[in-house]
Amino acid sequence: MSKLELIATATFGLEAVVKREIERLGFKVTCSEDGKITYLADERGIVRSNLNIRCADRILLKMGEFKAETSEELFQQTKGLPWEEWITEDGKFTVNCTTVKSKLRSEPACQKTVKKAIVDRLASVYMRNEFLETGAEYTVKVTLLKDIATLTIDTSGAGLHKRGYRVKNVEAPIKETLAAALVQLSFWKADRMLIDPFCGSGTIAIEAAMYMKGIAPGLGREFASEKWDAISQEIWKEERKKAYEAINNEVDIRIEASDIDKKAVAAAKANAEEAGVDDCIYFFVRSFENINIDRDYSVIICNPPYGERIGDKKALKGIYSHMKNLLEKDPTLSAYVITADEDMENSLMPRKPDRRRKLYNGRIKTCYYQYYGQRPPKQEKNNQD
């Protein structure tokens, strides 16, 4: 198999989490930048990455990178790339373009130039002037940043946050990729109870259960590259089989997910069943103020309502007040809270957070506040970025 450069795109703030995931899969990271991690792999690596990486947005195949200050430079350099190695004679491909701080400012013009260059290349290779485009789909992305053009093909198709288990939704759900990252950035382990008191459609609880059980996030969906001739179906079958064999249904997990909205809880239950993790998540219809935690060393990971998700500041203060009481009452309790509301740290919590991390929930700038409780006895040190 040939050596390829892949790019895992990520929400700002999650680059280190995605980098660790890539390295755990055995791939060498060559560059980590804002919003993307570049690494070396092969055709099997495309499959393994899409199936197993939890926190990235997409996996892109890097075709080339070069300086392009004129349309002619962009055309000739693009035409010189081996597109026929991936795009078949009947392949249907589209081109998307983004340009930032570059002499080539018109995105539609650059898009047209790249499209024509690829068509010319394929026409010369396949010895034909017209293409039916009835085969597999390919999305080509050209990004121009400070006159450097990076050309990629999207191997994922739909974003990786679309796991396939969300059969019912609620207003303002947290993305699955972000929820998975919140879990990985915590000290939660299987022997500690996990609580999400604002579960909504159940994303945090479901992602936590899948992570602890070793359920690959991509097992329940398809990918664009699954239909490409360049990657054999045998590789897909082998990697899916490995992913299924890695599932550990024997691990003992206790997760409690609750919400004041009974429709949200019903949606969360349905999603958990679809994800195959309803056996270890216990759902309740209850307000946060009615939660009493009776297990030492429990962990709260939550996305409380904020901004457009709640119009009542008084209610929000009540939430933070109860969180403060829980932390003061139980020194073994750990709490991880993602919110866009700055009042939580400034005036309503019992102490400064042990760690804070800036993240984006969609387009909303948030902060992930981390309050560490006492460690369980004889617990091994868990590295946290």
Side-chain angles (χ1 to χ4, degrees):
M1 290 189 180
S2 56
K3 273 294 179 184
L4 308 171
E5 271 193 293
L6 302 182
I7 296 173
T9 62
T11 299
F12 289 111
L14 297 185
E15 295 88 352
V17 182
V18 174
K19 180 183 177 183
R20 283 200 300 269
E21 288 194 281
I22 292 168
E23 290 174 337
R24 281 198 292 266
L25 290 176
F27 304 124
K28 181 180 179 181
V29 172
T30 57
C31 185
S32 182
E33 307 168 82
D34 287 348
K36 67 177 186 178
I37 297 87
T38 305
Y39 60 105
L40 301 177
D42 54 18
E43 288 85 350
R44 188 177 293 275
I46 292 176
V47 178
R48 189 170 295 171
S49 297
N50 276 296
L51 285 173
N52 292 284
I53 295 178
R54 299 177 188 277
C55 304
D57 293 329
R58 294 180 183 276
I59 305 299
L60 308 178
L61 168 64
K62 185 176 177 181
M63 292 296 295
E65 190 169 86
F66 49 81
K67 189 172 184 178
E69 296 181 338
T70 67
S71 293
E72 182 64 17
E73 287 177 336
L74 180 61
F75 178 86
Q76 293 297 341
Q77 296 267 36
T78 299
K79 187 176 178 180
L81 297 175
W83 298 100
E84 70 279 359
E85 292 182 1
W86 297 95
I87 301 177
T88 53
E89 189 173 353
D90 63 348
K92 178 182 179 181
F93 74 93
T94 56
V95 178
N96 298 323
C97 178
T98 302
T99 176
V100 179
K101 298 180 180 179
S102 296
K103 292 182 177 65
L104 293 171
R105 297 180 180 178
S106 173
E107 293 178 354
C110 292
Q111 185 175 320
K112 186 177 179 180
T113 299
V114 169
K115 175 83 172 182
K116 186 177 187 306
I118 298 174
V119 169
D120 280 12
R121 170 81 183 204
L122 296 178
S124 64
V125 172
Y126 294 126
M127 303 297 290
R128 61 185 304 164
N129 294 321
E130 294 183 5
F131 297 92
L132 297 177
E133 297 192 74
T134 56
E137 295 187 6
Y138 305 81
T139 301
V140 176
K141 173 76 173 179
V142 53
T143 302
L144 278 155
L145 176 60
K146 296 180 181 179
D147 298 323
I148 301 299
T150 304
L151 279 78
T152 60
I153 305 177
D154 181 7
T155 74
S156 301
L160 293 181
H161 70 282
K162 295 187 177 181
R163 317 289 207 211
Y165 64 70
R166 194 184 287 278
V167 292
K168 290 191 177 180
N169 218 334
V170 298
E171 187 179 354
I174 190 171
K175 284 179 71 172
E176 291 84 344
T177 45
L178 178 56
L182 299 184
V183 173
Q184 292 191 40
L185 288 169
S186 77
F187 285 122
W188 177 62
K189 290 187 176 182
D191 58 354
R192 305 175 72 172
M193 184 169 72
L194 176 63
I195 304 155
D196 179 4
F198 312 99
C199 72
S201 58
T203 311
I204 291 176
I206 292 169
E207 289 295 325
M210 290 176 66
Y211 176 63
M212 202 57 68
K213 283 175 171 281
I215 300 174
L219 273 178
R221 54 162 288 174
E222 294 182 348
F223 304 91
S225 51
E226 206 162 346
K227 298 180 180 179
W228 296 358
D229 288 354
I231 305 175
S232 75
Q233 287 300 305
E234 191 63 28
I235 292 177
W236 283 100
K237 289 178 183 177
E238 291 171 0
E239 290 300 316
R240 284 187 182 276
K241 182 180 179 183
K242 288 179 183 177
Y244 277 112
E245 290 173 346
I247 297 174
N248 179 10
N249 283 316
E250 302 304 315
V251 62
D252 186 17
I253 310 170
R254 170 83 185 195
I255 299 174
E256 290 191 1
S258 58
D259 201 285
I260 198 170
D261 184 350
K262 64 180 181 181
K263 289 184 179 179
V265 174
K269 283 182 178 180
N271 293 335
E273 289 174 5
E274 185 69 20
V277 293
D278 54 306
D279 60 326
C280 61
I281 305 176
Y282 301 84
F283 294 96
F284 305 92
V285 178
R286 65 186 180 192
S287 68
F288 180 47
E289 289 78 1
N290 288 329
I291 289 180
N292 289 304
I293 301 171
D294 57 3
R295 287 195 185 188
D296 289 342
Y297 308 105
S298 294
V299 176
I300 293 174
I301 302 178
C302 65
N303 175 33
Y306 54 80
E308 296 178 358
R309 299 177 64 224
I310 188 167
D312 188 351
K313 272 283 186 182
K314 184 178 179 182
L316 194 57
K317 287 183 178 181
I319 289 171
Y320 295 151
S321 178
H322 189 58
M323 182 77 75
K324 175 181 177 180
N325 291 338
L326 290 174
L327 287 170
E328 288 179 334
K329 179 181 176 182
D330 182 2
T332 72
L333 177 66
S334 295
Y336 299 83
V337 185
I338 184 170
T339 180
D341 191 278
E342 296 178 356
D343 288 343
M344 190 196 82
E345 177 186 5
N346 294 339
S347 61
L348 295 169
M349 295 303 284
R351 65 176 193 272
K352 291 289 183 181
D354 296 285
R355 183 77 186 267
R356 61 175 68 80
R357 180 186 292 262
K358 292 181 180 179
L359 299 173
Y360 280 84
N361 185 6
R363 295 184 178 181
I364 302 173
K365 184 178 179 181
T366 68
C367 193
Y368 191 38
Y369 296 103
Q370 304 174 37
Y371 297 86
Y372 305 153
Q374 295 174 4
R375 299 283 187 89
K378 298 180 181 179
Q379 183 182 19
E380 293 183 4
K381 186 177 181 181
N382 184 14
N383 292 327
Q384 180 167 349
D385 180 72

